[in-house]
Amino acid sequence: MRISELSARSGVAIATIKYYLREGLLHQGEQVAATRAEYDDSHLRRLRLIRALLEVGRLPVAAIKQVVEAVEDETLPIHQVLGTAHYALGPTVEPEPGEAWDAALAEADRVVAGQGWTITPQAPTRAELAQTLLTLRRLGMSVDLTRYAETARRIARDDMDKIPIDAPRESAVEALVLGTVLYGRALDTLRRMAHESESAHRLGLVPAPEAPEARATGTDQSGPTG
Amino acid sequence: MRISELSARSGVAIATIKYYLREGLLHQGEQVAATRAEYDDSHLRRLRLIRALLEVGRLPVAAIKQVVEAVEDETLPIHQVLGTAHYALGPTVEPEPGEAWDAALAEADRVVAGQGWTITPQAPTRAELAQTLLTLRRLGMSVDLTRYAETARRIARDDMDKIPIDAPRESAVEALVLGTVLYGRALDTLRRMAHESESAHRLGLVPAPEAPEARATGTDQSGPTG
């Protein structure tokens, strides 16, 4: 297809497509004439990946480029591609040298070890977790990381069940990356919604709702329950 | 205390403190001489709030300013202050007018209604959730939002249990805001760690670990299990 059709089918403006081509986010089309290139479904799929990472994942273009390069490098094992995506998703955390930082990092590592997780030593998530822990400690706030870790483990297993990990390489990688980004976004949004609702109830602004299970067994529920 | 002591105790550079004063993120000290202002514990606490929102929450300065103004406005009910923080935490999502958008928004509202949550109609989280849903649908990816919502509900309740909601107004508000930001960050980091580990195991790179429960009942576990 021509670039105009690629634009129409993807919903991405031609100027934006040209920008992605220049930046190397989107692979070049096949040059069929001096002024004309042909694009195919692989370009459509790549555009969907870029837009999802950009609009929903809120990744900076530089991080998306890292992910795309990892997806394209067929010599990279899938797990490493996913690692690149994971690492691009998180913020860059500068360690704050000192005893407090070392203690926080050690605590983060203990939580991971407690779950039996396999995390590479260079994973930036370790420093991320240490930073959050350090900040919580400084503020005198309590946190039960083991409980969060158990929740995270359940979520990750459910997520992975939905991802076709044995599909062809490119599809599997895309699904893994998108799943990590989009499911994470969905959960975070729902968590903030649940916080809004829970605080409304605890502050006594509205009566607490019955739990869905309880409502399902109620006798006076004639309407649909969602 | 003088600004030099405030800087030393908070770990925030004097130039940065002056910037926060100019931007209205930090309230002015008491002017005790033409060139000298006195600061107190309220400034220390505010600096901790700003740094936590900035460094761990990754909020832009404009969003932090909104949160701080809401914290300072004593006529605002706590719930509304929290709402301001929640809304500042999320990205700004532009609706994409059309049937697909309307359907996604309706689905988001059904999930919320199914949980019996109290969410204001103007909550930007509704559009956020709709955008994620729409993107997932376009990519042909499945998602069980009800399951995520149940998880989010449990997390929010646990989070709220840790927050002293009946403390003096300013402490309660700060704790609510910080809890939402920091606990969210901790969970998201752990989720990405669990993803990394889970994908390593599913791709067969390392043997799957026994679950902590299973390990606790093992017979040859002599070391601490975390």
Side-chain angles (χ1 to χ4, degrees):
Chain A
M1 70 189 95
R2 296 186 180 213
I3 196 167
S4 53
E5 188 184 343
L6 182 63
S7 168
R9 285 180 61 187
S10 64
V12 178
I14 291 180
T16 308
I17 293 177
K18 287 185 173 167
Y19 167 71
Y20 295 156
L21 286 166
R22 275 199 309 277
E23 290 294 313
L25 292 182
L26 184 65
H27 45 294
Q28 301 293 328
E30 192 192 347
Q31 207 69 34
V32 292
T35 60
R36 211 191 120 198
E38 267 291 302
Y39 300 91
D40 57 29
D41 284 347
S42 70
H43 295 90
L44 257 184
R45 202 169 56 214
R46 174 62 51 80
L47 282 177
R48 283 196 318 215
L49 177 70
I50 295 171
R51 300 306 288 185
L53 294 176
L54 200 64
E55 290 167 10
V56 184
R58 309 269 154 175
L59 290 201
V61 167
I64 296 178
K65 195 167 174 183
Q66 280 177 41
V67 173
V68 162
E69 279 168 1
V71 168
E72 283 189 344
D73 182 353
E74 299 198 355
T75 64
L76 269 191
I78 287 190
H79 181 62
Q80 221 163 308
V81 178
L82 185 62
T84 306
H86 273 129
Y87 299 171
L89 280 177
T92 308
V93 170
E94 294 297 330
E96 305 173 33
E99 272 179 37
W101 175 267
D102 294 343
L105 192 60
E107 187 177 344
D109 285 342
R110 273 197 303 276
V111 173
V112 169
Q115 296 293 322
W117 286 344
T118 310
I119 308 289
T120 61
Q122 61 273 34
T125 37
R126 291 176 60 233
E128 255 185 81
L129 193 56
Q131 186 197 40
T132 304
L133 267 174
L134 191 58
T135 304
L136 285 165
R137 294 273 174 271
R138 280 192 187 139
L139 295 165
M141 293 172 74
S142 69
V143 61
D144 181 354
L145 277 191
T146 302
R147 193 154 182 170
Y148 280 115
E150 292 294 343
T151 303
R153 168 200 286 270
R154 273 198 310 273
I155 295 167
R157 288 199 173 156
D158 285 355
D159 287 352
M160 283 284 166
D161 285 342
K162 285 181 238 130
I163 294 173
I165 211 162
D166 48 2
R169 186 178 181 286
E170 195 169 336
S171 316
V173 166
E174 282 180 14
L176 279 168
V177 170
L178 287 168
T180 299
V181 174
L182 300 179
Y183 295 147
R185 173 64 64 187
L187 180 67
D188 187 60
T189 304
L190 286 165
R191 191 186 64 92
R192 278 179 286 122
M193 287 177 144
H195 261 259
E196 175 178 345
S197 179
E198 191 68 20
S199 90
H201 296 302
R202 297 211 182 190
L203 291 163
L205 303 184
V206 288
E210 295 172 55
E213 309 79 56
R215 284 196 298 156
T217 59
T219 52
D220 56 353
Q221 300 288 327
S222 50
T225 54
Chain B
M1 72 188 94
R2 296 187 181 211
I3 196 167
S4 53
E5 189 184 343
L6 182 63
S7 168
R9 286 181 61 186
S10 63
V12 179
I14 292 181
T16 309
I17 293 178
K18 287 184 173 167
Y19 167 70
Y20 294 157
L21 287 165
R22 276 199 309 277
E23 290 293 313
L25 292 183
L26 184 65
H27 45 295
Q28 299 295 327
E30 192 193 346
Q31 207 70 33
V32 292
T35 58
R36 211 192 120 198
E38 266 293 301
Y39 300 91
D40 58 29
D41 283 348
S42 71
H43 295 89
L44 256 184
R45 203 169 54 215
R46 175 64 51 81
L47 281 177
R48 284 196 317 216
L49 176 70
I50 296 170
R51 300 307 287 186
L53 295 176
L54 200 65
E55 289 167 11
V56 184
R58 308 269 155 174
L59 290 201
V61 167
I64 295 178
K65 196 168 176 182
Q66 280 176 42
V67 172
V68 162
E69 280 168 1
V71 168
E72 283 189 345
D73 181 353
E74 299 199 355
T75 65
L76 269 190
I78 288 189
H79 181 62
Q80 221 163 308
V81 178
L82 185 61
T84 306
H86 273 129
Y87 300 171
L89 281 178
T92 308
V93 171
E94 294 296 330
E96 304 172 33
E99 272 178 38
W101 176 266
D102 294 343
L105 192 60
E107 186 175 344
D109 286 341
R110 273 197 303 277
V111 173
V112 169
Q115 296 293 322
W117 286 344
T118 309
I119 307 290
T120 60
Q122 61 273 34
T125 36
R126 292 176 60 231
E128 255 186 81
L129 192 56
Q131 187 197 38
T132 304
L133 268 174
L134 191 58
T135 304
L136 285 164
R137 295 273 174 272
R138 280 191 187 139
L139 295 164
M141 292 172 74
S142 69
V143 61
D144 181 353
L145 277 190
T146 301
R147 193 153 181 171
Y148 280 114
E150 294 292 344
T151 303
R153 168 200 286 271
R154 273 197 310 272
I155 295 167
R157 287 201 173 155
D158 284 356
D159 287 353
M160 283 284 166
D161 286 341
K162 284 180 240 131
I163 293 173
I165 210 163
D166 48 3
R169 186 179 181 287
E170 196 170 335
S171 315
V173 166
E174 282 179 15
L176 279 167
V177 170
L178 287 169
T180 299
V181 174
L182 300 179
Y183 295 147
R185 173 63 64 188
L187 180 67
D188 188 60
T189 304
L190 286 165
R191 191 186 64 92
R192 278 178 286 119
M193 287 176 145
H195 262 257
E196 175 177 344
S197 179
E198 189 70 20
S199 90
H201 296 302
R202 297 211 183 191
L203 291 164
L205 303 185
V206 286
E210 295 173 54
E213 311 80 56
R215 283 196 298 154
T217 59
T219 52
D220 56 353
Q221 300 289 327
S222 51
T225 54

